[in-house]
Amino acid sequence: MGRAFVYVILGGGVSAGYAALEFARRGGYSRGELCIISEEAVAPYERPALSKGYLLPEGAARLPGFHTCVGANDELLTPKWYKEQGIELILGTKIISADVRRKALVTAVGETISYKTLIIATGARALKLEEFGIQGSDAENICYLRNIHDADKLVNAMKSCSGGNAVVIGGGYIGMECAAALVTNKIRVTMVFPEKHCMARLFTPRIAEYYENYYTLKGVTFVKGTVLTSFEKDATGKVTAVILKDGKRLRADMVVVGIGIRANTSLFEGQLVVSMVNDGIKVNGQMQTSESSVYAVGDVAAFPIKLFDGDVRRLEHVDSARRTARHAVSAILEPAKTRDINYLPFFYSRVFTLSWQFYGDNVGEVVHFGEFTNSSPRFGAYWVNKGRITGAFLEGGSREEYEAISVAVGRKAKVTDMAELGKQGLAFAIQE
Ligand code: FDA
Ligand code: NAD
């Protein structure tokens, strides 16, 4: 028993939604030739909402309001839209094996779905504490956050813990955004992470210090440079405390864990070339894998970044998912007209009333600039390597200012005097 499609998008997340819109716009398929297969029960949605609008105590974002592609101010793709476009949504369906030679996928209930062209958009999964040797993270008041199911669990945990204590494990994106959401929901927060400062993969110590001070003023406590070793639980199996390596005990009515992700590549292991450096499915500038009928996009894809001299990177951000998805569809439908992707890495976050953007790569010498104040923060940093801007960060910028730093990075603007760059700050990018 089986079904056959010309185009199969495997995964129903951000990149699947943007790929579908691109297919529809280009009209490169007939009704019934294209499907999206997703383990999730709902049509593709803007995942970033889950750690922001979805967690608000009032006026929270709910589906269908944040289906793709509203995050890029584009059309809202509801299930009705897919129907109208003749794109089949095969939801609540997990693929458990793939055979790229036979061009076939097998679902958990044993159905075979075959394709002529496959787009792998399986994203990533949250790393579990058990993978670091800590047991018991399946308790009902311990929350990870990757999908809407996780987000509902987190919302329910927050509701039953108002005025209580939460411990947030991890000082990365999930940790920072969830800590802010917990505070907004009137829950006291302690953040625990192994590094010297938050957002260690991106922030400089000075930038991190600003956000940590801001969070401290909001009542957040930081426990840095350590990890947890175990949980204390009550008779019902609920966590009541987190025990740290130094023996310290943190009372907890709930726990949020954000300790990184692993790309969902396992279906294709041994079949497609995987990038060893960053654990993603390796693709070329057309988002095409080592098998010509298979493309990979979004969090799962490791692709060459022209701006970094073709260095292959796997990015874990929404803008990359949107753009690589559109690019793959363009390459599939119009290969002759599609040049290799020319992508400028772009990351952002919004917490409390703060909002920052980063472009490029955080390598080289750092120059900070601007006002690191609480009343109206407007500060940032440039990363400079071999006399050229490689990366730029800005908090509190206007649309034009963000655009200016992105252009400076995209053009690898030349820097002759580091001290002068610090003095000029944003003006350097604006004058560029
Ligand atoms: P995505 O994870 O969106 O989708 C993967 C899909 O594949 C899922 O539907 C999954 O169920 C499905 N799937 C996987 N294996 C399968 C199988 N075997 N069978 C069937 N289906 C399968 N980025 C950013 O730049 N700014 C931000 O503010 C945020 N905020 C943010 C918040 C939260 C809570 C998360 C978890 C992530 C972010 N991100 C972000 C990151 C961003 O959301 C992420 O980069 C994109 O969702 C990646 O899109 P993909 O389509 O690659 O994967
Ligand atoms: P992350 O990589 O941003 O941070 C992981 C953090 O886990 C590290 O900073 C570290 O502090 C901590 N950590 C690692 N091992 C640990 C251990 N054994 N014990 C305790 N702490 C440990 O990953 P994340 O915060 O889990 O985010 C998951 C994914 O979601 C990422 O891909 C991220 O890009 C994405 N996301 C992005 C945004 C955004 O771009 N604004 C927002 C939310 C989520």
Side-chain angles (χ1 to χ4, degrees):
M1 192 189 75
R3 277 188 275 180
F5 292 89
V6 177
Y7 305 108
V8 169
I9 301 170
L10 173 54
V14 171
S15 36
Y18 283 78
L21 184 59
E22 193 68 26
F23 265 114
R25 293 246 161 98
R26 288 174 183 266
Y29 65 95
S30 303
R31 291 190 84 80
E33 281 186 352
L34 168 62
C35 76
I36 291 177
I37 307 172
S38 178
E39 195 179 349
E40 293 188 80
V42 293
Y45 56 87
E46 300 285 359
R47 205 162 300 277
L50 298 184
S51 53
K52 304 175 190 67
Y54 206 83
L55 304 182
L56 289 175
E58 275 162 37
R62 287 293 177 267
L63 289 176
F66 64 100
H67 280 299
T68 56
C69 300
V70 290
N73 296 320
D74 212 318
E75 249 180 283
L76 178 77
L77 313 187
T78 58
K80 186 167 164 255
W81 180 89
Y82 290 94
K83 207 170 213 169
E84 283 165 2
Q85 299 299 323
I87 300 172
E88 190 156 348
L89 280 179
I90 305 176
L91 301 178
T93 301
K94 183 173 181 164
I95 294 298
I96 55 160
S97 75
D99 184 336
V100 299
R101 203 180 39 83
R102 285 182 47 236
K103 301 189 177 185
L105 308 169
V106 178
T107 71
V109 294
E111 187 189 8
T112 298
I113 298 177
S114 62
Y115 60 82
K116 288 205 167 94
T117 301
L118 174 68
I119 300 180
I120 303 171
T122 45
R125 65 174 179 83
L127 283 170
K128 293 276 149 77
L129 282 167
E130 279 71 5
E131 294 169 69
F132 296 88
I134 292 138
Q135 303 307 314
S137 81
D138 54 354
E140 72 172 74
N141 58 342
I142 299 187
C143 304
Y144 290 87
L145 185 54
R146 184 70 204 179
N147 56 38
I148 206 155
H149 183 70
D150 299 332
D152 286 336
K153 181 175 171 178
L154 178 51
V155 167
N156 287 335
M158 288 198 300
K159 275 189 187 147
S160 62
C161 152
S162 191
N165 296 296
V167 174
V168 172
I169 309 291
Y173 287 96
I174 293 282
M176 293 301 281
E177 293 187 4
C178 288
L182 287 160
V183 168
T184 308
N185 280 276
K186 301 195 170 20
I187 297 166
R188 276 185 300 277
V189 177
T190 302
M191 292 187 72
V192 181
F193 50 84
E195 296 91 354
K196 282 191 186 137
H197 63 74
C198 68
M199 292 289 292
R201 286 207 289 167
L202 180 65
F203 287 4
T204 65
R206 183 156 180 211
I207 292 174
E209 186 187 13
Y210 175 84
Y211 291 97
E212 287 180 14
N213 286 341
Y214 190 99
Y215 273 53
T216 304
L217 288 174
K218 295 274 181 191
V220 175
T221 304
F222 287 87
V223 181
K224 303 188 271 185
T226 192
V227 288
L228 80 161
T229 53
S230 61
F231 294 111
E232 266 179 28
K233 294 186 178 175
D234 66 13
T236 68
K238 270 187 157 185
V239 169
T240 51
V242 172
I243 311 298
L244 305 184
K245 211 172 180 176
D246 59 5
K248 211 186 217 169
R249 183 178 177 277
L250 303 173
R251 253 191 65 197
D253 300 303
M254 65 179 288
V255 174
V256 177
V257 186
I259 55 169
I261 60 170
R262 177 75 24 95
N264 288 323
T265 58
S266 61
L267 287 170
F268 303 94
E269 257 158 41
Q271 303 190 65
L272 301 175
V273 172
V274 166
S275 160
M276 288 303 161
V277 195
N278 36 34
D279 235 9
I281 294 175
K282 200 170 172 182
V283 294
N284 61 19
Q286 308 280 306
M287 309 313 295
Q288 194 173 32
T289 70
S290 50
E291 192 72 37
S292 61
S293 58
V294 182
Y295 293 72
V297 297
D299 278 11
V300 81
F303 66 102
I305 311 268
K306 277 190 185 170
L307 190 70
F308 307 162
D309 302 323
D311 200 17
V312 172
R313 300 282 174 97
R314 190 179 66 73
L315 301 174
E316 300 175 353
H317 293 276
V318 75
D319 181 64
S320 158
R322 293 169 181 158
R323 286 178 196 265
T324 55
R326 289 180 182 144
H327 199 80
V329 175
S330 165
I332 290 165
L333 297 179
E334 294 189 277
K337 283 196 195 154
T338 306
R339 293 200 186 153
D340 283 352
I341 193 163
N342 188 5
Y343 183 64
L344 170 62
F346 163 49
F347 317 150
Y348 71 90
S349 184
R350 289 191 298 272
V351 286
F352 300 114
T353 56
L354 301 174
S355 172
W356 59 259
Q357 297 191 6
F358 170 84
Y359 294 87
D361 203 6
N362 55 335
V363 292
E365 206 179 323
V366 182
V367 176
H368 294 97
F369 61 82
E371 304 299 324
F372 285 70
T373 57
N374 274 340
S375 49
S376 51
R378 194 156 146 276
F379 63 85
Y382 295 111
W383 281 257
V384 180
N385 199 22
K386 296 177 187 154
R388 301 267 175 190
I389 300 276
T390 56
F393 176 98
L394 178 61
E395 164 64 52
S398 65
R399 184 198 287 251
E400 293 72 26
E401 289 163 344
Y402 287 125
E403 171 70 15
I405 62 162
S406 80
V407 169
V409 176
R411 289 173 50 181
K412 296 188 183 178
K414 199 169 173 187
V415 176
T416 44
D417 183 336
M418 296 291 277
E420 185 56 26
L421 177 65
K423 262 192 239 150
Q424 285 190 3
L426 257 181
F428 173 85
I430 291 164
Q431 283 157 20
E432 255 293 296

